[in-house]
Amino acid sequence: MPTRKTMNFSALSSYVISIILVLLLSVTSGNVREHSSEPGAPEKYARPATTEIQEKVNRLLADMTLEEKVGQMTQITLDVLGKGDNVSSSHEPFELDPVMMELAFQKYHVGSVMNTTNNRARTPEFFNKLIAGLQDYAIEHSRLDIPIIFGIDMIHGASYVDGATLFPQQIGMAATWNPGLVRRAAEITAYETRAAGLPWTFSPVLDLGVDPRWPRHWETFGEDPYLASVMGHEMVKGYEGEDNDIGNPYHIATSLKHLLGYSHTLSGRDRTPAWIPESQLREYHVPPVRAGINAGALNVMLNSGEINGIPFHSNRELITGLLKEELGFEGFALTDWRDITYLHTRHRIAESYKDAIRIAINAGVDMSMVPYDFEFARYLVELVNEGEVPMERIDDAVRRILTVKVKMNLFDKPYTLLEDYPDFASEAFIGASRNTAMESITLLKNENNLLPLETGITALIGGPAANTMRPLNGGWSYSWQGDLTDEFTADKLTIYKAFAEKLGAENVTLYEGVRFNHEGSWDEEIVDDLDQFRQKAEQSDLIVLAVGENSYCEGVGDLQDLYLSDNQQELIRIAAETGKPVLMVLVQGRPRLISKVEPLVPAIINTYLPSNYGAEALVSLVFGDANFSGRLPYTYPRYPNDLIPYYHKHTEHIMSNGVPTGTPFNPQYEFGFGLSYSGYEYVSMTTDGDSYGADGTIEVTVVVRNTSDRDGKETVMLFSSQLYASITPPVKRLRAFEKVEIAAGSTEQVRFSIPVTDLAFVGHDNRLRLEKGGFIFRAGGLEAPVTVTESVVTD
């Protein structure tokens, strides 16, 4: 791995330096922290009772000045505190600027810091020193000894920590259909994040991946609310622990993002307007957020865009009314990057920055990700003194923030150190990442059983994702855009290197044909000599084309054309013209359209963004050392004018005398699709009754047989369809799923318990309605009808 630069703390007072040196020498003698008696053992920690927490917070609030309270509501980015030419970058090696430290913590009483410096990953030792220095200074200069809370985007592992174990991105985790793997990934992320001294991640993303154009599609758990709810719940529990003990030094606090409807924009571009009827908002977008809150999350990050003409950061009805009152959220609401400022400069509903602050705080915002200056704090103090923001609103926000800090045990243990985390980047953690990628990668096509491959063949590895780790990881990997990934992953196997290791370097040729221009924009490509590519292809037994997308993040990844790039499609055509078998490996954050070239290739694999061990997992799968079990967590569209989810309405597919009257719903691959080396037969599906009242539970039993001679894992998905309703019902909805391992030739029973109330929907009056009538359960081509005998309407 490349050597990372370490931090110079010479700018700090000798007191802080001495504290840091003492910590690094592990001779604390109890003055700051207590070592566990055994490496890796949980530290002694007594979780405070709820009454103790409330009493401590109330005492602090009673003693705080207005300026101190407003400081707790202020979050700045790390580079503001570093020596540099401006507030958005710092000199290397990084040094804390004593002038800015004094301004931040002594004058403005800043309560939160975020991010890394200069938009790049750092070693855990760097972060250890940083957090210790920040906390010691902040507490020393806080009249009430209040620590800061430090947050960072640890999105698929501790993704800003050099050497940490990265996992497939969320869209790939969803493709495993294995909640246990998601929880384990989050547990490891929490462990390694704490090893770096960091206690809070801006994760998970609980937006729905309903629009494949959206550049943050890969950050989601896919298009389905139930799948996102299950996976989101597991991720929160993995981060925070089963009992949400975020003061435990092996757990971290989470941030559910982004409340609400952020992904469902009209244009498909990031941070653009969404028009979502309230009934749809509640039916599809609220459930994952509710699941995250019920799992115990104590922070929510807000939608940077607008819904129905109202910028979210100004929407009191949704922030205070829905989130805090209706859903009972007890944590604090955080803005996204500069989003209060944008009420003035982008959304244009506030005539000044000061007025934007008034609007946002009164709407229910508790903490502002400012992130570059202290004007937020200054203006908010003025607004309170002028009577424009009630003190009750300030106290409510600060109470929420302080409560989280106390629950995180930051007052007693403001930071953690790498030396107490011996399993950091361990082989066990790496194995967990590799296994997650293995269960994620999805086989979409396998004509004539091209796969599994035999060894003893020659292969040409081409395409822009063939020999770079950047597209395997995607954004939020070592930097915001993921553009530094290759610098940090020199010891990892690319797709080309993984094939060369399996087949022998002498049997594998690398010639990309089309390459990503890593010096240009994310979608810029370089076309090589395609005649030479053709020649090399003709000389090989197999052509593997690793195609898709380079890394990007947020609005940088907005696009005009969802089709796979013209250059890459031409490369596929040339490969197919050779008559040699072609394996298309898709490395992509969203489903790029392949309908023009799909008929040309016999085998297609979707790897999503499988991260650092994805290439190893891919090769294990294609050579049959492991079995495919990944399933699509979204509908893979065939055409750019057919971007609708599986839970569309019946009118999307109108038939007349058995003939479609328009273009039918015809995706490239349906939601939940995925092939395997094993074959499965759905033998039977039964329910424990025919009719059910509103308080009943429907017991569904599905029998599945592995008809092949190979063990495999099958995800049994249970859907329901309502025959008639007071508003048009969707074609079907996912109600339950379970991934089961079935031995060759064996049969497994899968039982689901479905409360009848789960069949309710949000009606035209935005109330939850369970309506009597007929329903059909479906699984694996089988059907089981049931009847609900009574209707119930709830607020």
Side-chain angles (χ1 to χ4, degrees):
M1 298 293 287
T3 302
R4 311 285 354 115
K5 297 179 181 178
T6 57
M7 179 181 292
N8 184 343
F9 276 95
S10 62
L12 291 179
S13 68
S14 59
Y15 168 80
V16 175
I17 294 176
S18 64
I19 290 292
I20 295 169
L21 290 175
V22 165
L23 287 166
L24 293 177
L25 291 172
S26 302
V27 289
T28 58
S29 302
N31 60 333
V32 177
R33 63 185 303 280
E34 218 178 86
H35 288 277
S36 55
S37 59
E38 177 180 332
E43 302 212 6
K44 296 177 181 178
Y45 165 64
R47 186 176 186 178
T50 301
T51 54
E52 293 179 60
I53 296 172
Q54 292 172 343
E55 289 170 0
K56 184 178 181 70
V57 170
N58 288 337
R59 285 196 304 270
L60 288 169
L61 267 178
D63 288 342
M64 293 173 76
T65 65
L66 171 60
E67 289 76 11
E68 288 170 333
K69 292 176 180 178
V70 168
Q72 291 299 305
M73 301 170 66
T74 305
Q75 184 182 75
I76 58 173
T77 193
L78 178 59
D79 280 319
V80 171
L81 302 175
K83 289 184 176 180
D85 297 330
N86 53 61
V87 294
S88 61
S89 64
S90 301
H91 295 153
E92 295 284 357
F94 181 86
E95 294 183 48
L96 292 172
D97 185 335
V99 174
M100 297 305 293
M101 293 283 284
E102 180 179 353
L103 193 63
F105 299 115
Q106 296 189 51
K107 180 175 181 179
Y108 288 105
H109 315 285
V110 166
S112 182
V113 181
M114 63 167 293
N115 227 335
T116 182
T117 177
N118 292 332
N119 184 32
R120 64 185 297 114
R122 304 286 174 166
T123 64
E125 293 87 354
F126 174 97
F127 279 119
N128 278 186
K129 293 181 182 180
L130 170 71
I131 302 304
L134 288 174
Q135 289 287 28
D136 287 335
Y137 187 97
I139 293 169
E140 174 71 12
H141 294 91
S142 168
R143 187 174 59 88
L144 300 173
D145 298 331
I146 300 176
I148 62 167
I149 179 174
F150 197 103
I152 192 166
D153 290 280
M154 300 301 198
I155 300 302
H156 61 121
S159 50
Y160 272 110
V161 180
D162 186 4
T165 309
L166 300 195
F167 284 81
Q169 295 278 5
Q170 269 191 214
I171 196 67
M173 290 193 196
T176 68
W177 291 76
N178 189 334
L181 291 180
V182 174
R183 181 180 286 221
R184 184 59 182 148
E187 290 171 346
I188 292 170
T189 300
Y191 182 98
E192 296 193 339
T193 299
R194 280 289 199 169
L198 303 163
W200 177 27
T201 179
F202 302 143
S203 172
V205 170
L206 295 183
D207 303 300
L208 296 181
V210 289
D211 190 331
R213 299 173 299 173
W214 194 52
R216 306 190 73 169
H217 190 269
W218 49 272
E219 296 183 58
T220 75
F221 285 122
E223 72 186 40
D224 183 74
Y226 179 75
L227 179 60
S229 297
V230 171
M231 297 305 197
H233 177 277
E234 292 303 304
M235 185 163 274
V236 171
K237 290 299 186 183
Y239 286 143
E240 298 194 352
E242 181 61 34
D243 298 325
N244 304 99
D245 186 5
I246 54 178
N248 184 305
Y250 292 160
H251 301 159
I252 55 177
T254 61
S255 179
L256 309 180
K257 61 186 193 184
H258 308 80
L259 186 81
L260 185 71
Y262 174 44
S263 60
H264 208 165
T265 65
L266 188 64
S267 67
R269 295 191 297 272
D270 188 39
R271 288 172 163 83
T272 55
W275 297 89
I276 309 173
E278 184 178 344
S279 60
Q280 279 200 336
L281 198 68
R282 289 179 172 274
E283 178 74 26
Y284 298 105
H285 296 276
V286 169
V289 175
R290 180 186 287 113
I293 293 172
N294 291 343
L298 290 172
N299 176 242
V300 165
M301 188 181 294
L302 303 178
N303 175 357
S304 292
E306 64 179 65
I307 296 180
N308 302 334
I310 303 175
F312 203 95
H313 284 72
S314 69
N315 197 323
R316 190 179 191 282
E317 181 179 349
L318 294 180
I319 300 173
T320 298
L322 174 64
L323 175 65
K324 295 180 177 180
E325 296 174 355
E326 183 178 333
L327 297 180
F329 178 63
E330 297 179 353
F332 65 94
L334 171 70
T335 76
D336 207 336
W337 189 265
R338 302 187 74 180
D339 276 337
I340 292 182
T341 305
Y342 293 147
L343 294 179
H344 168 56
T345 60
R346 284 183 180 175
H347 298 291
R348 297 179 179 270
I349 67 163
E351 294 183 354
S352 66
Y353 180 30
K354 181 176 178 179
D355 195 43
I357 294 169
R358 176 189 64 82
I359 292 171
I361 300 303
N362 284 336
V365 168
D366 299 312
M367 181 184 286
S368 174
M369 190 185 289
V370 178
Y372 287 126
D373 57 55
F374 306 102
E375 294 295 283
F376 168 81
R378 183 169 68 83
Y379 282 140
L380 185 50
V381 168
E382 290 179 7
L383 287 164
V384 175
N385 287 332
E386 293 165 1
E388 295 295 322
V389 174
M391 181 59 79
E392 293 80 5
R393 176 75 272 276
I394 301 298
D395 285 346
D396 173 63
V398 178
R399 177 176 284 105
R400 291 168 179 270
I401 295 165
L402 290 176
T403 298
V404 173
K405 288 186 175 185
V406 175
K407 288 185 175 182
M408 293 175 71
N409 199 33
L410 293 176
F411 285 84
D412 295 326
K413 186 179 180 62
Y415 45 86
T416 48
L417 295 174
L418 175 64
E419 64 194 45
D420 288 325
Y421 297 84
D423 292 329
F424 179 86
S426 67
E427 285 301 318
F429 288 1
I430 291 170
S433 174
R434 188 184 295 111
N435 189 45
T436 303
M438 202 95 69
E439 291 203 24
S440 164
I441 294 171
T442 306
L443 179 60
L444 298 178
K445 186 178 182 181
N446 191 22
E447 277 187 357
N448 301 317
N449 294 320
L450 174 64
L451 304 178
L453 299 173
E454 299 288 340
T455 55
I457 61 172
T458 61
L460 171 66
I461 314 299
N467 197 35
T468 167
M469 297 300 297
R470 180 177 168 182
L472 290 172
N473 278 280
W476 298 124
S477 303
Y478 308 104
S479 69
W480 176 41
Q481 294 295 316
D483 54 320
L484 303 180
T485 297
D486 285 331
E487 173 186 342
F488 288 88
T489 56
D491 61 338
K492 303 299 188 294
L493 294 183
T494 63
I495 291 175
Y496 158 67
K497 291 177 181 177
F499 271 90
E501 188 174 272
K502 181 69 176 181
L503 292 174
E506 69 279 7
N507 296 314
V508 178
T509 301
L510 172 69
Y511 193 83
E512 289 101 323
V514 176
R515 291 176 287 125
F516 294 128
N517 182 6
H518 294 309
E519 303 303 317
S521 63
W522 71 273
D523 56 350
E524 190 173 329
E525 296 173 346
I526 299 170
V527 180
D528 295 321
D529 185 339
L530 296 184
D531 288 334
Q532 189 173 355
F533 172 83
R534 186 191 300 271
Q535 292 172 9
K536 292 179 180 297
E538 289 172 344
Q539 296 166 3
S540 301
D541 298 325
L542 172 75
I543 304 168
V544 179
L545 294 182
V547 297
E549 300 182 312
N550 207 354
S551 70
Y552 54 84
C553 195
E554 301 190 33
V556 173
D558 287 339
L559 48 64
Q560 300 296 325
D561 186 358
L562 191 57
Y563 273 106
L564 190 66
S565 75
D566 290 343
N567 292 331
Q568 294 185 60
Q569 290 191 68
E570 180 61 19
L571 192 70
I572 294 166
R573 292 187 185 98
I574 292 172
E577 288 170 1
T578 66
K580 298 299 179 71
V582 178
L583 167 60
M584 184 196 300
V585 177
L586 296 166
V587 184
Q588 55 187 4
R590 56 196 153 192
R592 300 301 294 265
L593 304 187
I594 57 173
S595 54
K596 297 177 182 178
V597 293
E598 180 273 337
L600 305 179
V601 297
I604 301 173
I605 296 171
N606 191 7
T607 69
Y608 312 93
L609 302 174
S611 200
N612 287 333
Y613 307 100
E616 297 175 38
L618 170 69
V619 168
S620 294
L621 289 163
V622 299
F623 283 95
D625 300 324
N627 200 350
F628 288 95
S629 66
R631 301 290 183 267
L632 288 174
Y634 52 70
T635 302
Y636 201 122
R638 187 182 299 270
Y639 303 114
N641 286 359
D642 198 17
L643 309 181
I644 56 176
Y646 83 87
Y647 43 82
H648 56 273
K649 300 301 181 76
H650 290 271
T651 48
E652 296 286 357
H653 194 154
I654 300 176
M655 304 291 288
S656 178
N657 296 322
V659 178
T661 61
T663 302
F665 176 67
N666 184 28
Q668 191 77 56
Y669 305 105
E670 292 193 5
F671 172 81
F673 179 79
L675 301 173
S676 169
Y677 294 139
S678 302
Y680 302 101
E681 177 190 0
Y682 281 69
V683 178
S684 65
M685 180 169 65
T686 58
T687 59
D688 65 337
D690 299 320
S691 300
Y692 300 85
D695 59 351
T697 298
I698 306 169
E699 302 292 341
V700 183
T701 301
V702 181
V703 178
V704 184
R705 178 183 296 125
N706 183 340
T707 59
S708 71
D709 59 359
R710 178 153 189 168
D711 298 348
K713 294 179 180 179
E714 170 70 347
T715 298
V716 180
M717 305 174 197
L718 183 67
F719 296 88
S720 74
S721 301
Q722 186 167 7
L723 299 183
Y724 301 97
S726 56
I727 63 172
T728 55
V731 170
K732 61 180 180 179
R733 291 289 303 274
L734 180 69
R735 297 304 179 188
F737 65 88
E738 184 175 345
K739 191 168 193 175
V740 291
E741 189 161 5
I742 310 177
S746 297
T747 299
E748 291 289 335
Q749 281 191 351
V750 181
R751 294 182 174 87
F752 300 107
S753 296
I754 310 298
V756 172
T757 51
D758 282 3
L759 302 178
F761 61 90
V762 178
H764 60 86
D765 55 0
N766 302 319
R767 301 167 73 191
L768 197 62
R769 310 178 73 89
L770 174 67
E771 294 185 347
K772 64 182 179 180
F775 293 80
I776 297 177
F777 283 100
R778 294 184 168 92
L782 302 178
E783 296 184 354
V786 298
T787 300
V788 173
T789 59
E790 55 184 321
S791 299
V792 177
V793 179
T794 56
D795 291 322

